[in-house]
Amino acid sequence: MATTHGYDVHTGPVGAIPAQPVPAVPAQPVPAQVVEQRAVNRPAERAWAITRIGLGFIFLWAFVDKVFGLGFATPAERAWLTGASPTTGFLKGTGENALGGVFGALAGQGWVDWLFMLGLLGVGTALILGIGLRIAAVAGGVMMVLMWAAELPLQNNPFLDDHLIYTAVLAGLALAGAGTTWGIGAWWATTPLVRRYPILR
């Protein structure tokens, strides 16, 4: 064995223990119940995604229709672009309701129009893209509850109408993290801004 000052040219330092290869760790199989649970969750995730996109389209379409007066809920002469107020018709129509005096006084106010239209645009965009669902749920829920309150007392039900159902659906979308399926919610959650402020998820 050739050595040079206690060092074997083939194996290293004399007396040293040869390095042992690190055994490969076998991949752990995914438990069957986990695989089954994932398979069960996929239809539910897709159902939430369809609901999210559909509800987002309702909000976003209302915004577009009121801006341009496309003739669906808003005739051309009452388009926001022509200077008409997008909230006046609804708010003035609540005059005979329990809280009609409060909401009627808001009709035609510029800041009310801007808040309402930005709410429609923001909530609709967030739902369709699958981002900011927590804020969208809060903002959209506040809008729906205020519209529900403006119509009290309800004509067809003691207390429940579509506005409250929309509010519940918005909360469910946020709690279910519904932006990751058919949306960019997964990417959005990894951005530095959202990591710093998780409320933006």
Side-chain angles (χ1 to χ4, degrees):
M1 180 172 64
T3 61
T4 303
H5 300 291
Y7 186 88
D8 188 287
V9 295
H10 298 293
T11 63
V14 176
I17 300 175
Q20 298 297 321
V22 178
V25 179
Q28 297 295 324
V30 178
Q33 61 267 29
V34 174
V35 175
E36 182 180 356
Q37 186 62 41
R38 289 176 180 172
V40 170
N41 286 344
R42 287 193 190 102
E45 291 169 355
R46 291 168 184 163
W48 275 119
I50 292 172
T51 303
R52 187 197 83 233
I53 295 170
L55 188 55
F57 182 76
I58 290 175
F59 276 86
L60 198 56
W61 177 257
F63 170 81
V64 173
D65 185 53
K66 290 180 183 300
V67 169
F68 298 102
L70 300 179
F72 289 85
T74 307
E77 62 272 15
R78 291 173 54 192
W80 198 25
L81 284 179
T82 67
S85 169
T87 62
T88 295
F90 174 78
L91 292 176
K92 282 191 173 181
T94 65
E96 301 299 323
N97 296 343
L99 300 176
V102 175
F103 289 99
L106 299 176
Q109 299 287 336
W111 64 273
V112 175
D113 292 340
W114 275 97
L115 281 180
F116 179 67
M117 295 299 285
L118 289 177
L120 291 177
L121 176 62
V123 173
T125 302
L127 290 175
I128 290 177
L129 295 180
I131 63 175
L133 294 187
R134 296 178 181 179
I135 293 179
V138 173
V142 169
M143 292 173 61
M144 291 296 102
V145 170
L146 288 175
M147 294 175 73
W148 167 81
E151 295 186 349
L152 292 175
L154 304 178
Q155 294 182 356
N156 301 317
N157 193 282
F159 66 92
L160 187 63
D161 71 351
D162 55 339
H163 295 103
L164 295 186
I165 297 300
Y166 283 162
T167 301
V169 172
L170 285 167
L173 291 169
L175 293 173
T180 58
T181 301
W182 300 340
I184 59 174
W187 166 81
W188 176 252
T190 64
T191 60
L193 179 64
V194 178
R195 285 184 175 180
R196 185 172 182 179
Y197 304 104
I199 188 64
L200 298 177
R201 298 186 66 179

